């Protein structure tokens, strides 16, 4: 049975800012705070459109999504608070007091989980983030045979990779590939959100976009979101990966990622995150909620018609990257309400009462 990693960090209950919190931060305010405090690999996800943000310009903010189910409002916080760690406990306390409804935190790291445990929340494992140290990464070893094959794609196919600004690409081709890719997924035409960030078909602050071409025609692309440390880019998260399913050669997306990694390494950027594999390798924790753990394990093993949990975990694990557990923090809300809210909030499924009942019976 695992437990949260130990830390010498203490809660700063005495933190007392001069500015009170509200929901009036501008996008420019949030970008400035992100560049200063957005060290989590999913920090950029907090800039998603139609996302309320609670905080203050001099402190930081918490991004969340409101999901309503019959009789309840859930505020789903889907990343770490973007703030000075010394202010985090105070900011979480203000958020819990001032924002009405039930509160649910997903995709948070160990430090935030410890703060929430001290505030009365129960902590469960939620998945694993995979990150790569570019100063040590290589393609050597028997476990990276598939990646070596992908790295040599240019020797087998007339492929090239270019990093381009939005006005340099054919927007119609980009959108067509995206629509085609979505049509093969269980979610159909819906874009997922919260635990990922839907693609933005325009130029974006800080985002790096790499495009793969086959015989000069667009065949796939990968969009990388930045994360920060001490006011500088610390790394990039491979967030959007899409390809032409009819034309793209096998290994194209890995080839694009490997080419981008080499570019980042040349620039002195030392990290690339492959993001979280939700529900991957869920284990028991001290004082967790066993039913939440069982639901997570059930969805990972039996819920792949809703979302490719297992395929995603397998693909990320092939890079032999560093693995870090991410967590979910829950109040006393029912397990069914929590599962319903997460699946609705992410866009995986608009759950019906019948589906929820059937699932509950199997547990």
């Amino acid at each position: 049975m695992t437990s949260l990693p130990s830390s010498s960090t203490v809660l700063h209950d005495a933190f007392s800012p001069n500015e009170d919190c509200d929901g009036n931060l501008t996008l420019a305010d949030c970008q400035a705070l992100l560049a200063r405090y957005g060290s989590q690999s999913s920090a950029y996800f907090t800039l998603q459109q139609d996302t309320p943000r609670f905080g203050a310009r001099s402190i930081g903010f918490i991004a969340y999504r409101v999901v309503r189910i019959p009789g309840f409002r859930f505020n789903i916080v889907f990343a770490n608070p973007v703030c000075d760690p010394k202010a985090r406990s105070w900011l979480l306390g203000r958020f819990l007091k001032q924002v009405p409804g039930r509160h649910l935190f997903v995709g948070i790291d160990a430090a935030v989980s410890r703060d929430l445990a001290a505030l009365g929340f129960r902590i469960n494992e939620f998945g694993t983030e995979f990150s790569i140290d570019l100063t040590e990464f290589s393609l050597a070893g028997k476990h990276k045979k598939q990646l070596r094959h992908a790295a040599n794609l240019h020797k087998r196919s007339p492929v090239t990779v270019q990093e381009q600004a939005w006005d340099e690409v054919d927007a119609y081709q980009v959108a067509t590939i995206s629509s085609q890719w979505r049509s093969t997924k269980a979610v159909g035409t819906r874009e997922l959100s919260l635990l990922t960030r839907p693609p933005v078909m325009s130029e974006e602050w800080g985002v790096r976009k790499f495009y793969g071409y086959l015989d000069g025609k667009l065949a796939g692309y990968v969009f990388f979101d930045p994360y920060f440390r001490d006011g500088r880019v610390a790394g990039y998260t491979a967030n959007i990966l899409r390809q032409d399913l009819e034309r793209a050669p096998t290994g194209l997306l890995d080839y694009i990622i490997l080419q981008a990694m080499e570019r980042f390494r040349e620039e002195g950027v030392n990290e690339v995150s492959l993001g979280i594999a939700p529900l991957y390798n869920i284990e028991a924790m001290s004082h967790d909620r066993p039913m939440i753990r069982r639901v997570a394990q059930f969805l990972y093993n039996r819920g792949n018609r809703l979302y490719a949990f297992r395929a995603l975990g397998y693909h990320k694990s092939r890079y032999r990257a560093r693995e870090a557990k991410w967590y979910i923090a829950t109040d006393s809300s029912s397990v069914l309400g929590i599962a319903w809210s997460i699946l609705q909030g992410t866009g995986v499924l608009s759950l019906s009462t019948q589906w929820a009942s059937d699932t509950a019976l199997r547990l």
Side-chain angles (χ1 to χ4, degrees), residues 285-358:
M285 291 183 61
S286 301
H287 310 297
D288 69 0
R289 294 178 65 177
M291 185 57 75
I292 288 180
R293 181 183 352 113
R294 289 175 61 192
V295 169
Q297 292 169 338
F298 173 84
L299 287 173
Y300 184 79
N301 290 311
R302 301 288 295 278
N304 285 267
R305 66 183 180 87
L306 306 179
Y307 185 74
F309 296 109
R310 300 183 71 168
L312 188 63
Y314 169 73
H315 181 265
K316 295 178 188 293
S317 69
R318 291 187 309 153
Y319 281 78
R320 305 300 178 199
R322 297 177 303 196
E323 298 184 13
K325 296 283 189 178
W326 281 7
Y327 303 91
I328 176 173
T330 60
D331 58 17
S332 60
S333 300
S334 72
V335 175
L336 192 56
I338 290 167
W340 192 325
S341 298
I342 292 174
L343 290 171
Q344 280 191 317
T346 56
V348 170
L349 188 69
S350 291
L351 288 174
S352 67
T353 302
Q354 185 61 49
W355 187 92
S357 298
D358 291 347

Side-chain angles (χ1 to χ4, degrees), residues 130-142:
F130 293 82
S131 61
I132 299 168
D133 183 343
L134 296 181
T135 65
E136 300 178 351
F137 180 78
S138 79
L139 294 173
K142 65 179 182 179

Side-chain angles (χ1 to χ4, degrees), residues 91-356:
L91 181 59
L92 286 167
R94 299 305 299 174
F95 176 77
L96 296 175
K97 290 178 182 178
Q98 291 183 223
V99 178
R102 295 173 180 260
H103 300 89
L104 175 62
F105 296 78
V106 297
I108 53 175
D109 68 12
V112 176
S113 297
R114 285 190 294 268
D115 285 355
L116 288 166
L119 292 169
F121 282 75
R122 298 277 292 276
I123 310 300
N124 282 72
E125 293 186 0
F126 186 72
T128 300
E129 186 219 9
F130 293 82
S131 61
I132 299 168
D133 183 343
L134 296 181
T135 65
E136 300 178 351
F137 180 78
S138 79
L139 294 173
K142 65 179 182 179
H143 296 300
K144 293 181 179 177
K145 180 179 179 180
Q146 288 178 298
L147 290 182
R148 286 197 300 275
H149 188 71
N152 292 318
L153 180 61
H154 63 286
K155 298 179 180 179
R156 304 186 302 275
S157 301
V159 296
T160 58
V161 174
Q162 300 179 48
E163 181 181 9
Q164 295 175 285
W166 186 252
D167 60 5
E168 297 175 327
V169 299
D170 186 326
Y172 177 78
Q173 287 187 36
V174 176
T176 298
I177 288 175
S178 183
S179 297
Q180 179 202 55
W181 180 91
R182 285 201 314 271
S183 70
T184 67
K185 306 301 177 182
V187 295
T189 60
R190 296 189 302 278
E191 289 285 5
L192 299 181
S193 62
L194 304 190
L195 296 176
T196 184
R197 192 175 69 89
V200 174
M201 302 299 182
S202 64
E203 197 70 18
E204 299 180 88
W205 172 74
V207 177
R208 308 280 293 271
K209 301 185 178 184
F210 289 76
Y211 300 88
Y213 291 88
L214 179 64
D215 280 328
K217 185 175 180 180
L218 184 65
Y221 47 86
V222 181
F223 295 171
F224 293 85
D225 292 349
Y227 53 99
F228 303 86
R229 195 169 295 124
D230 299 325
R232 303 183 63 180
V233 173
Y236 290 96
T237 300
N239 180 41
I240 297 298
L241 295 80
R242 300 196 175 175
Q243 64 180 358
D244 186 324
L245 299 176
E246 297 178 356
R247 298 183 61 253
T250 300
L252 175 65
L253 293 179
D254 284 322
Y255 182 70
I256 296 173
I257 290 174
L258 292 169
Q259 291 285 304
M261 286 168 53
E262 188 59 35
R263 171 73 63 84
F264 299 150
R265 179 158 45 191
E266 291 171 355
E267 295 172 354
V269 175
N270 294 329
E271 296 177 20
V272 162
S273 174
L274 302 175
I276 186 175
L279 312 186
Y280 177 84
N281 195 26
I282 297 295
E283 298 176 316
M285 291 183 61
S286 301
H287 310 297
D288 69 0
R289 294 178 65 177
M291 185 57 75
I292 288 180
R293 181 183 352 113
R294 289 175 61 192
V295 169
Q297 292 169 338
F298 173 84
L299 287 173
Y300 184 79
N301 290 311
R302 301 288 295 278
N304 285 267
R305 66 183 180 87
L306 306 179
Y307 185 74
F309 296 109
R310 300 183 71 168
L312 188 63
Y314 169 73
H315 181 265
K316 295 178 188 293
S317 69
R318 291 187 309 153
Y319 281 78
R320 305 300 178 199
R322 297 177 303 196
E323 298 184 13
K325 296 283 189 178
W326 281 7
Y327 303 91
I328 176 173
T330 60
D331 58 17
S332 60
S333 300
S334 72
V335 175
L336 192 56
I338 290 167
W340 192 325
S341 298
I342 292 174
L343 290 171
Q344 280 191 317
T346 56
V348 170
L349 188 69
S350 291
L351 288 174
S352 67
T353 302
Q354 185 61 49
W355 187 92

